Amino acid sequence: TISNEAKRKRLPAPVERFIDKAPMNIKLGTNSILQNPRRFFVSTFSIFASLVMILLATLFGVSKNELVGQSVDRRLNYDAQVYLTAAEPKEDVLSFYEGGKVKADGSGFIEDFVNCYYTYLKVDNIDHNVYVECLAVDVSNSAVDRLIHIPNSNGHGKLYVPENGVILPKTTANELNVKKGDYISINNKRVLVSDISYQYFHPITYLSLEQMEKLEVSYVTSYIMNVTTEVDLQHYIAENKNQSLTVFTSSLSKDLHNIFDALDVMIAIMVAFS
């Protein structure tokens, strides 16, 4: 039926001669198009739409994997963060660590530990209020680089907390219209933007404890740690009265991975139906 030339409109003689000399598949296809142009365009559109859907689903999957890698897997690489009610003395911080550190006899629950200092700071040198969420660390602590991963401006390298200056997240840098090497004003003090970090969600401004003390701002102490069991940590902090908040990032990481796993199923369904 497809090759029946009597059922289609005749074309100009030169075109007919070209079709007659063409391979059989081109001849059959041309006859089919001319017999029912609407069917051809609907079929072509359906195939094109399916390919576009497959392409979009694939790009969505790639973007999802990038999001997981840059945020969940790189940022949430510690198990818990405990915020205290105030800037606790160093003795209390060490007491907390010593009380939970894994010992030679196998007791304890803290495998790795960094004490941090947390605050919000207002940037002064723009015409509207911008507050940055800051986490300061003691850069001399060797555990900092193991527990705090800061992706660089392209999202793949790693930045290290400087002694002077701050590392701004890219979203904040864009809002302030600043780049690496510029200065911002915090608490009437000029602060160097030492680098820009590419953070997808929950953007944090990183700085050293030395830099935070120069700014003369109030802060609270927090602990970032990897633990052998969250239950023992929960039991330990329940007996202490000075913590105000505990965030179990390991649980958050698992929940986010479960969500992203559900997206994988959706992507597979999109590709299959396409």
Side-chain angles (χ1 to χ4, degrees):
T1 302
I2 292 175
S3 63
N4 187 351
E5 299 183 20
K7 292 185 178 182
R8 68 167 172 83
K9 181 170 34 174
R10 305 305 296 176
L11 297 173
V15 178
E16 289 287 353
R17 285 195 297 270
F18 173 78
I19 293 175
D20 288 339
K21 295 177 181 179
M24 181 59 68
N25 58 343
I26 294 178
K27 187 173 183 178
L28 294 178
T30 303
N31 291 337
S32 177
I33 293 170
L34 295 176
Q35 287 173 31
N36 194 335
R38 185 174 60 182
R39 178 183 62 190
F40 166 74
F41 287 113
V42 170
S43 300
T44 303
F45 175 79
S46 299
I47 294 171
F48 177 76
S50 297
L51 293 175
V52 170
M53 286 296 293
I54 292 173
L55 177 62
L56 290 176
T58 303
L59 292 176
F60 184 74
V62 172
S63 300
K64 185 269 302 180
N65 290 333
E66 183 75 2
L67 176 63
V68 173
Q70 299 298 343
S71 57
V72 182
D73 292 340
R74 293 202 62 178
R75 291 286 303 283
L76 301 181
N77 57 323
Y78 47 85
D79 296 327
Q81 184 170 5
V82 181
Y83 299 85
L84 302 186
T85 53
E88 298 296 329
K90 184 177 292 187
E91 295 77 20
D92 290 346
V93 175
L94 293 176
S95 174
F96 186 98
Y97 178 53
E98 291 299 330
K101 184 174 68 172
V102 175
K103 303 173 180 61
D105 60 2
S107 62
F109 52 88
I110 298 177
E111 292 183 312
D112 223 344
F113 177 97
V114 171
N115 55 305
C116 304
Y117 307 90
Y118 178 86
T119 191
Y120 270 90
L121 299 176
K122 180 177 179 293
V123 180
D124 304 323
N125 57 331
I126 56 175
D127 57 3
H128 62 284
N129 293 337
V130 173
Y131 293 89
V132 292
E133 186 177 1
C134 297
L135 194 65
V137 296
D138 181 0
V139 294
S140 64
N141 188 338
S142 60
V144 168
D145 294 333
R146 293 196 299 274
L147 294 185
I148 298 180
H149 286 187
I150 312 173
N152 65 3
S153 57
N154 62 28
H156 296 284
K158 181 179 178 182
L159 300 177
Y160 298 92
V161 180
E163 290 187 8
N164 297 296
V166 297
I167 296 177
L168 285 179
K170 190 173 184 179
T171 50
T172 305
N174 291 340
E175 185 176 9
L176 298 174
N177 194 26
V178 296
K179 59 184 183 300
K180 179 180 178 180
D182 289 345
Y183 284 84
I184 58 176
S185 176
I186 298 176
N187 206 22
N188 295 320
K189 294 179 172 60
R190 293 178 78 239
V191 182
L192 173 68
V193 179
S194 63
D195 225 318
I196 306 295
S197 174
Y198 200 44
Q199 302 173 37
Y200 278 100
F201 76 103
H202 193 193
I204 297 289
T205 296
Y206 292 95
L207 65 161
S208 67
L209 175 60
E210 180 183 4
Q211 178 68 75
M212 181 175 279
E213 289 175 340
K214 290 179 182 178
L215 296 176
E216 299 176 349
V217 295
S218 58
Y219 56 82
V220 298
T221 297
S222 70
Y223 310 123
I224 286 177
M225 66 191 74
N226 283 330
V227 297
T228 56
T229 169
E230 292 182 1
V231 175
D232 288 346
L233 173 60
Q234 289 173 325
H235 178 72
Y236 184 86
I237 61 179
E239 296 178 347
N240 293 272
K241 307 300 181 185
N242 61 348
Q243 83 280 354
S244 58
L245 175 67
T246 302
V247 178
F248 288 100
T249 52
S250 58
S251 301
L252 178 61
S253 176
K254 292 174 185 175
D255 291 340
L256 288 172
H257 270 291
N258 289 336
I259 293 172
F260 290 131
D261 289 343
L263 290 179
D264 284 335
V265 175
M266 187 184 75
I267 292 171
I269 292 173
M270 288 174 62
V271 172
F273 274 89
S274 297

